[in-house]
Amino acid sequence: MSNIRYCINYLKQINVIDEPLDDSFTTFRALLNITMPINLSDEYYHKQDEVLKELLATKHIIDVSNFKEGMSIYKGDITLFKADAIVNACNSQMLGCFVPGHHCIDNAIHTFAGLEVRRDMMETMNKQGHEEPNGQVKVTKAYNLPCKYIFHTVGPIYSGIHRNEVDLASCYYSCLRKADEMKLESIVFCSLSTGIFGFPIEKASKIAIKCVKSYLKEENKNIKKVIFDVFSDSDYETYKDNMDEIGL
């Protein structure tokens, strides 16, 4: 408890918050979400990491070694995958979700990985000098997550035009090529653009499956396992039906 109390008090000062706050993880998460990590102390990062590692130790890790080679579907928490890489669905600023406690993948990944990820992405985006276009990928270490790397990609906001499909396919291909280039053997995708970006799950899942199938068949050198991680039973069934239709 002393570590989380320290972290909350430290982030309160950073964010100039005067009102009293409790010592709950909900409060800590909210502060993580709103903090721009400029010149945070080494002591803060050490104590933050201890809090996040202790929390992770209470959870069930999803080990990619238990999955078959090729494509698989899983319904669960992408932040709990022990894999080479997980894929984060980002906005064009690439700095994570700033809405306290928001239930999106971007928020969860940044929360449970720690503020090192936002720090690293701030440096990357400052060097880039402009917002991230759709369909590309940036890579950070995963820090306090059980995976090794986080792949950050911006999917399209759905408007019904053909360009949306092209951009979504580019997200998948960019991540697969980067994983292959890094000689990674496993990668876990969330269902890109199907949340608040509004891409219909039926159409998006077919694009995802076709891209992965094509890449594994025609270009792949190192990737052995690709997992589609979904939120709901209905999304799981959609992916399953389309995978059965398209084939492995």
Side-chain angles (χ1 to χ4, degrees):
M1 182 65 83
S2 61
N3 282 337
I4 198 167
R5 184 179 297 116
Y6 171 90
C7 292
I8 288 171
N9 288 335
Y10 184 89
L11 295 181
K12 274 181 62 179
Q13 290 182 333
I14 292 294
N15 290 285
V16 196
I17 297 172
D18 294 326
E19 66 218 57
L21 299 175
D22 63 32
D23 291 340
S24 68
F25 184 80
T26 299
T27 297
F28 177 46
R29 177 173 184 165
L31 289 168
L32 282 173
N33 296 158
I34 66 172
T35 298
M36 289 295 284
I38 300 170
N39 298 324
L40 302 186
S41 70
D42 290 342
E43 183 179 10
Y44 167 76
Y45 281 119
H46 175 73
K47 291 184 182 295
Q48 170 212 258
D49 293 352
E50 289 297 314
V51 171
L52 295 174
K53 284 181 171 66
E54 288 174 11
L55 180 63
L56 181 64
T58 68
K59 297 182 178 181
H60 173 70
I61 302 302
I62 308 160
D63 195 331
V64 76
S65 67
N66 295 322
F67 289 75
K68 65 181 178 63
E69 292 195 2
M71 290 188 286
S72 300
I73 319 163
Y74 187 84
K75 188 191 81 165
D77 185 345
I78 198 170
T79 68
L80 297 178
F81 267 93
K82 184 180 180 182
D84 288 335
I86 63 171
V87 178
N88 184 24
C90 306
N91 59 44
S92 60
Q93 292 182 321
M94 302 288 275
L95 298 180
C97 172
F98 284 83
V99 180
H102 190 241
H103 293 295
C104 67
I105 287 171
D106 199 17
N107 187 294
I109 287 175
H110 274 264
T111 294
F112 297 111
L115 278 169
E116 293 93 335
V117 176
R118 181 174 284 169
R119 178 199 65 195
D120 291 356
M121 290 305 302
M122 281 175 56
E123 181 179 349
T124 296
M125 296 306 290
N126 285 339
K127 287 180 180 177
Q128 179 165 288
H130 58 82
E131 293 189 357
E132 184 80 348
N134 293 347
Q136 300 183 14
V137 63
K138 297 283 192 295
V139 180
T140 64
K141 293 190 291 185
Y143 292 99
N144 296 292
L145 299 181
C147 60
K148 296 177 182 176
Y149 299 101
I150 305 167
F151 282 23
H152 305 262
T153 189
V154 181
I157 298 173
Y158 188 74
S159 62
I161 62 174
H162 178 63
R163 183 70 199 180
N164 298 154
E165 299 176 27
V166 173
D167 285 350
L168 185 60
S170 293
C171 290
Y172 285 97
Y173 281 122
S174 294
C175 290
L176 291 165
R177 290 184 179 118
K178 177 58 72 172
D180 213 0
E181 173 190 313
M182 293 173 64
K183 295 182 170 55
L184 305 185
E185 295 187 353
S186 60
I187 183 168
V188 183
F189 285 98
C190 61
S191 188
L192 296 168
S193 281
T194 60
I196 60 172
F197 282 11
F199 211 116
I201 185 72
E202 176 71 27
K203 183 177 290 187
S205 61
K206 286 183 177 179
I207 292 170
I209 294 164
K210 287 177 180 178
C211 287
V212 171
K213 180 180 179 181
S214 172
Y215 188 86
L216 293 179
K217 181 179 179 181
E218 298 175 10
E219 299 186 47
N220 182 49
K221 294 181 178 66
N222 298 291
I223 301 169
K224 295 181 179 178
K225 298 178 182 182
V226 178
I227 298 159
F228 299 113
D229 182 74
V230 298
F231 272 135
S232 67
D233 290 336
S234 61
D235 287 355
Y236 183 95
E237 290 304 319
T238 299
Y239 267 83
K240 183 178 182 303
D241 289 345
N242 288 329
M243 194 177 289
D244 290 343
E245 178 185 330
I246 295 166
L248 301 179

